[in-house]
Amino acid sequence: MKKICSPVHDPNCPWHRRARHAVGHSLRIRLVLVFMALAVAVAVTFMGGVQKAVSVGWREAARPLLMDYVDRLAAEIGSPPSIERAQAIASRLPLTLRIDGPQIHWASHPDQQNPDWMSDKVRQESRWTGDENGHSLLRRTTADGHHIEFGLNALSWDKRPRIAWGTLTVLLLLTALAYVYVRHLLRPLDDIRQGAQRFGNGNFAQPIPVRHAHRPDELGQLAETINTMGDDIHQMLEAKRALLLAMSHELRSPLTRARLNTELLPETADVQPQRLALMRDLGEMAGLITDLLESERLAGRHAALHREPTDVAELAREVVADLCSRHAGAADIALHTAPDLPAVRLDRSRLRLLLRNLLDNSLRHSESGAFPPELHLRLVDEGRVLELEVRDHGRGVPPEHLPHLAQAFYRPDTARQRATGGVGLGLYLCRLVAQAHDGQLNMRNAEPGLSVTVRLPVVE
């Protein structure tokens, strides 16, 4: 199968593909090309119109003058033609002369392969092939039967390409200046794009710079509008975070009192089932509040990590042992650890939270009778990255839900129901823990089951 290169990331991609990609994705280049095409079209139209207008009137006015001038030159050469006079005229004027007749066969520029070409060129371009009576404008016949033909010197005519190259150079220079100016005009677009990316990543500290803030243009007004939108979003997020934190803190006290009162209930046969159910519900509510507080701590830009050398394999075995008290199938979790896995500097409590949530998620969504969940711990990228992979063998997740699984409070309606437990914070917390360690979390359907991979850079 032929590999298709990327014009953006592959420097070995053919130049024509990179150029086509640049034209298709660069507003600056397209504007410059439009301006250049418009300038060329206007110049060609104007020059053609002027040339047409001048040539139509000038041809009729210049015809008698040219005929009279050619007659004077022919008379000066004489009859029979004088080669010395013809040579003097050819050296004085940018003309070529050719004399053919019964006695003289002479050309002023015999070194030219086709000395009469320029006469033909002049006749073709000017359309002065003759007058209305069929008399040639550039050819005369003497009384003794010699034919004298006049033409423009090819060497002087060849100066026209130099003018064309000069015109092309000026056009390219003007195009380069136009590109620089358009790039300067559209530079705020780069600032707007970078600012929008910062806002999307949750960084609202640095607004988009506005050029000529006292009198902004359209792009400046757009930057001001986006800054206002960013401030509004920031205030909304801060208000939501403050509300969650306040609710979480305020709910802890009544939950603690409710749990204490529940524990004081008599452990009789008729009360014990309700007592255990209430204790279980209160425990889930306390865990939810703890997860909410932890998510707000990790979501902040200054999430504090307590890094310490951690034996990841030993920590994974501790998490599996702790899950055995809540899940009957936790003892069957297949732990695959690289034999040379060293201690890694990580936040032990946050990594425990990540492993617990991933393994708990895989246990709840594994099919009965299927293979148990798997946990793989290994070093990749020449030992620079610690990779943790947790895979279950359940039904997996519809592809359209995969990009949203690690969002807060997101639960697919089909594959993951509320009856299976969880409120949509588990994978969200795992993603925050990975990002706090400058890592990343990726998910894919393993067919069967869901595979979650966490990559954490190894810190010396």
Side-chain angles (χ1 to χ4, degrees), residues 310-321:
T310 303
D311 187 342
V312 182
E314 180 61 28
L315 181 62
R317 285 189 282 269
E318 293 177 6
V319 173
V320 171

Side-chain angles (χ1 to χ4, degrees), residues 139-154:
R139 186 170 181 171
R140 294 293 182 268
T141 302
T142 63
D144 59 351
H146 287 85
H147 300 287
I148 304 175
E149 185 171 1
F150 297 87
L152 190 64
N153 192 345

Side-chain angles (χ1 to χ4, degrees), residues 17-18 22 101 139 158 172 218 308 376 387 393 398 441 451:
R17 292 201 60 189
R18 295 199 302 270
R139 186 170 181 171
D158 286 342
L172 292 177
E218 288 82 356
E308 56 181 335
H376 298 267
E387 187 174 271
H393 295 271
L441 180 143
S451 174

